[in-house]
Amino acid sequence: MPALPQDAIYRPSSRIMALADWIGDTVKAADFPETRLRWRNDRAAREVGLADLSDADWLRHFGRFAPLPDNMPGPLALRYHGHQFRVYNPDLGDGRGFTFAQMLDADGRLMDLGTKGSGQTPWSRAGDGRLTLKGAVREILATEMLEALGVNTSRTFSVIETGESLFRGDEPSPTRSAVLVRLSHGHIRIGTFQRLGALQLEDEMAQLVAYCLANFPGADFPDAPHPAVRFFNQMVERMADMAASYMVAGFVHGVLNSDNMNVSGESFDYGPWRWLPKWEPGFTAAYFDHAGLYAYGRQPEAIHWNCGQLAVALRTLVEAAPLIEALNRYPELYQQAMTRRWLWRLGLEPRGLEEDTALIGVCEKVMVEQGIGPDAFFFAHRGGREAFVDAALNEALAPYSATDSSHAYWSDEGPQSMLIDEVEAIWQPIAEKDDWSALHAKVAAIRRMGEAMGKKPLPMGHAVA
């Protein structure tokens, strides 16, 4: 195998292989008709020492999935169960993806490279294991926008067009195909624990708790009576913060099933997502979410409910009382995260939980009355600017001190946004003329916005290895 071009921080660390006998199945990637590089995220690649790869090696590792040096010997399709729209499904697992590499980033965090659209696995059921190119483009846009808005999210690491024609019932067919690689801080889901609990695999559950404590560090909780309780407290903190980050970003994930919940607190797996066109708690992203279970305003409750399902699974190891106590921390943790993140996006220094919560209420009222969404509101009021005539809001903002809003972005005519019409406008030239310029221009504009937003708020309980 040729030596891997690398910088000083490529540090392979395939720790998941210690769990490989029971956490997943060894699989092979599909043999695609072609591999055409469409997207390489060199910013993310620099964090794990892979930015120096030539395009040819990039295609070999992320299109043909030749193992990275000293890394996992081959792909692993993970096993899990999950609640899908509150209905338990034991017939799940990585049906069109796998984990194929792990390494440490510059901060010593364990990072995974996982796929979407890489072929069939034992868990594919009736699916073809593929991903549409449009779906990959949408994931680029979602992850870039979320990262800029401070959400702890997976990053779209690579998109390679694969030369197959796919047929889908919910979009024009045939359509182009792709394989996507995401860079994530782990792929352990609530559903991973649910499977072990359902099968009463106590030893494996204890191993997985230890793996998560070692690799997704958080607050210590030295008084917790059991490792599972320490882990669950950390996880509740992370999930409360993730829920708040969605709300402040104006983001609707669309499918908050327990198998889509990464216990690292990192948002991932973007399907029918949307951003709010206006402040509307009942707004849904998935056309099939007829009851609005995962509507924008119901996301915090949905994530809390999923935390409860993890608590049920952890009963394999520990009694209920300390788990319930940890779960009951969620509402207060969520409100603390909301105020911290809301003030960050407004560009104001926090003053205190009660006062900051009241300010959020005033802001929401203005958005409803003005019929506008979070993007326009936060942009106009960054640093306490008075773009809308509203006496109550001006009064609420008056005591606050502004953070730095000197970036040229704040003098633009309007904010960056990611509404569905713009997504379609970016996709159209790709579909019709293979013109990717609009996508690249949008990503550059989003990253500029991210620079203007300043230092991101740390997730609650944040720590590094």
Side-chain angles (χ1 to χ4, degrees):
M1 178 186 300
L4 178 70
Q6 58 183 331
D7 60 27
I9 64 168
Y10 173 69
R11 290 181 286 168
S13 185
S14 51
R15 300 175 188 178
I16 200 169
M17 296 308 297
L19 316 178
D21 288 345
W22 51 264
I23 202 170
D25 297 274
T26 301
V27 296
K28 292 184 178 180
D31 185 10
F32 298 116
E34 62 181 65
T35 52
R36 299 181 64 191
L37 181 55
R38 294 304 195 176
W39 170 260
R40 55 177 288 167
N41 189 341
D42 283 323
R43 183 169 72 170
R46 280 192 293 272
E47 298 178 16
V48 290
L50 296 174
D52 290 337
L53 283 172
S54 67
D55 283 352
D57 281 338
W58 190 281
L59 289 169
R60 190 166 62 87
H61 290 300
F62 309 133
R64 300 300 179 188
F65 297 99
L68 290 166
D70 302 317
N71 220 298
M72 293 173 61
L76 200 62
L78 302 184
R79 306 169 183 172
Y80 43 86
H81 291 181
H83 279 88
Q84 298 187 306
F85 288 85
R86 303 285 167 92
V87 177
Y88 193 75
N89 187 349
D91 189 23
L92 294 176
D94 284 338
R96 57 173 176 168
F98 49 65
T99 300
F100 69 97
Q102 290 186 301
M103 61 215 71
L104 303 181
D105 71 4
D107 293 324
R109 295 190 308 162
L110 183 66
M111 305 298 292
D112 289 0
L113 289 175
T115 65
K116 191 174 183 179
S118 50
Q120 292 181 313
T121 77
W123 307 103
S124 298
R125 294 178 285 174
D128 62 10
R130 296 333 197 236
L131 172 68
T132 67
L133 182 62
K134 184 178 183 180
V137 168
R138 284 172 46 82
E139 187 135 344
I140 293 170
L141 292 170
T143 54
E144 289 287 334
M145 189 72 173
L146 287 169
E147 183 181 4
L149 291 174
V151 175
N152 183 23
T153 179
S154 64
R155 268 79 60 76
T156 306
F157 192 81
S158 170
V159 171
I160 292 172
E161 190 168 358
T162 57
E164 296 177 308
S165 295
L166 304 181
F167 289 83
R168 295 291 185 265
D170 56 353
E171 60 180 278
S173 296
T175 189
R176 293 152 70 179
S177 59
V179 61
L180 177 147
V181 174
R182 67 165 69 99
L183 180 67
S184 296
H185 187 32
H187 280 86
I188 307 301
R189 308 155 190 258
I190 290 176
T192 315
F193 285 89
Q194 288 182 283
R195 174 181 173 272
L196 299 179
L199 298 178
Q200 298 183 325
L201 298 175
E202 183 175 343
D203 289 346
E204 289 84 349
M205 181 80 80
Q207 291 177 54
L208 190 57
V209 166
Y211 178 91
C212 292
L213 284 170
N215 295 303
F216 311 138
D220 190 23
F221 298 101
D223 297 329
H226 191 281
V229 178
R230 292 200 297 276
F231 160 66
F232 188 60
N233 271 280
Q234 292 175 359
M235 187 270 185
V236 169
E237 289 192 345
R238 292 190 285 255
M239 288 296 173
D241 185 78
M242 186 180 80
S245 73
Y246 283 175
M247 301 303 285
V248 174
F251 177 70
V252 191
H253 184 284
V255 189
L256 294 176
N257 296 332
S258 62
D259 58 297
N260 286 342
M261 297 282 102
N262 189 334
V263 298
S264 69
E266 185 180 60
S267 175
F268 80 120
D269 204 4
Y270 302 108
W273 54 264
R274 294 286 189 276
W275 257 267
L276 290 182
K278 61 181 180 179
W279 190 259
E280 184 181 351
F283 184 83
T284 58
Y287 68 88
F288 46 82
D289 187 4
H290 303 295
L293 180 64
Y294 299 142
Y296 170 71
R298 298 182 70 180
Q299 292 183 121
E301 184 273 333
I303 294 170
H304 188 200
W305 190 90
N306 284 323
C307 290
Q309 305 318 301
L310 177 58
V312 171
L314 291 172
R315 287 284 287 112
T316 304
L317 298 178
V318 69
E319 63 185 16
L323 298 171
I324 294 171
E325 183 179 354
L327 186 63
N328 288 340
R329 298 175 61 225
Y330 180 95
E332 182 178 356
L333 291 167
Y334 167 74
Q335 193 57 43
Q336 292 171 0
M338 273 293 293
T339 56
R340 184 180 70 254
R341 287 181 170 277
W342 195 279
L343 270 292
W344 170 77
R345 194 171 181 192
L346 263 182
L348 301 176
E349 297 287 352
R351 290 178 58 82
L353 184 62
E354 185 175 350
E355 190 170 354
D356 296 344
T357 300
L359 175 62
I360 292 174
V362 177
C363 294
E364 290 175 330
K365 182 174 181 291
V366 169
M367 280 190 275
V368 171
E369 291 176 350
Q370 296 284 340
I372 61 174
D375 295 323
F377 176 84
F378 284 111
F379 182 82
H381 289 282
R382 173 78 178 192
R385 294 183 296 179
E386 300 175 9
F388 298 111
V389 179
D390 187 281
L393 179 58
N394 292 338
E395 181 179 351
L397 290 172
Y400 284 87
S401 300
T403 57
D404 182 19
S405 298
S406 61
H407 194 282
Y409 170 76
W410 303 114
S411 299
D412 289 357
E413 292 185 4
Q416 289 297 314
S417 61
M418 191 59 70
L419 302 182
I420 188 62
D421 289 346
E422 185 167 8
V423 175
E424 293 296 328
I426 291 169
W427 168 248
Q428 186 175 6
I430 295 173
E432 295 180 356
K433 299 179 292 184
D434 207 30
D435 179 357
W436 292 73
S437 59
L439 173 68
H440 291 294
K442 184 63 176 180
V443 169
I446 292 170
R447 290 184 176 184
R448 177 172 172 267
M449 178 185 72
E451 294 172 0
M453 293 295 298
K455 186 177 180 180
K456 306 297 186 290
L458 288 175
M460 197 168 300
H462 176 82
V464 296

